[in-house]
Amino acid sequence: MSEWFTAFAPASIGNVAVGFDMLGLALSDVGDRVMARRTDGAGVTVAEVRGINGELHPYLSTNANENTASIAAQALLDAHGAGMGVELKVHKGVPLQSGMGSSAASAVAAVVATNALLDTPLTVEALLPYALEGEKFASGGLHADNVAPSLVGGLVLCPQVLLPDIVRLPIPDDISAVLLHPDLQVNTAHARKALAKRVPMQQWIDQQGLLAAFVAACAANDIDLLGRSLRDIIIEPQRSANVACFDAVVEAARKSGALGCSLSGSGPSIFALCKHSDARNMASSMEHACRAQGIACQSWVSPMDAPGARLVGDT
Ligand code: HSE
């Protein structure tokens, strides 16, 4: 049998408040692993999908047409691995329906592991369109704000209109992301369908201004401007009521020095950006506020320059 290659792909914060569907941030220390090996047959098969506890996953499909990892890997093979057969094992580390880019992490890890099997592997950036095929299946839309940061790491601007090109943004100094995951689930495809189809002109103008200011703040390392611009005035008001602990957690983050705080992707996770020195205390305060609402939770602290997907040892 041929050798297994294992790839790790990190979770990510979609939208980062200011850039709906076009801005994303990679997280460190939490992600999915996908193992890939060549087989004698043609096409992609999924040998197993395991959950966070290591057990076989109760409902994620091993049907290759219904799994984001295999759909992404198959898209890569269709373009660059004619006739090749690949077997995958998917080991989830990112909670499902968490707003942490769970489906993107599986799709990205799958293309990075499968790429290692090709006779002429592609660059990491060139894998983006194939990982997006898996993400599209899961979320029902073409947005790269989880796939792109999971693939290349850091803070990434990825407007649909420029794809497959993406822009890696400069990272401001000494800023961390705190991510709180309440033990709730939000289905991204449903959350996207529920959004208003029209945006008042003034809101659109204001949100554009905030995104431009945020990007300028990152480039100029202007932390004051970063804090003033990190706001979502269009999407968050439509979604925050789906997350029972949202107001309490945001208040706790702000009291602990958050520069800004909003939903991660479509939620239920909530993220804050803050100075490194405030991050641990902020994570505890956000957890405390969430549990006070009767909701179990978990949090992660990550630098803004977390690395993207990579091949790792077979663990
Ligand atoms: N940009 C997407 C959304 C990300 O907010 O619907 C989902 O994680």
Side-chain angles (χ1 to χ4, degrees), residues 15 20-21 143 145-146 188 192 239 265-266:
N15 305 332
F20 178 68
D21 274 2
H143 56 91
D145 54 325
N146 292 115
T188 298
R192 294 177 70 79
R239 287 178 165 173
S266 57

Side-chain angles (χ1 to χ4, degrees), residues 117-177:
L117 305 174
L118 299 181
D119 295 334
T120 311
L122 310 186
T123 62
V124 167
E125 285 84 352
L127 296 173
L128 183 87
Y130 312 111
L132 274 177
E133 287 299 319
E135 172 73 324
K136 208 161 67 181
F137 171 78
S139 87
L142 184 67
H143 56 91
D145 54 325
N146 292 115
V147 163
S150 181
L151 190 62
V152 305
L155 179 66
V156 183
L157 185 68
C158 46
Q160 188 181 339
V161 68
L162 295 181
L163 293 176
D165 292 342
I166 58 174
V167 183
R168 298 175 193 229
L169 294 178
I171 302 286
D173 294 338
D174 298 327
I175 303 296
S176 290

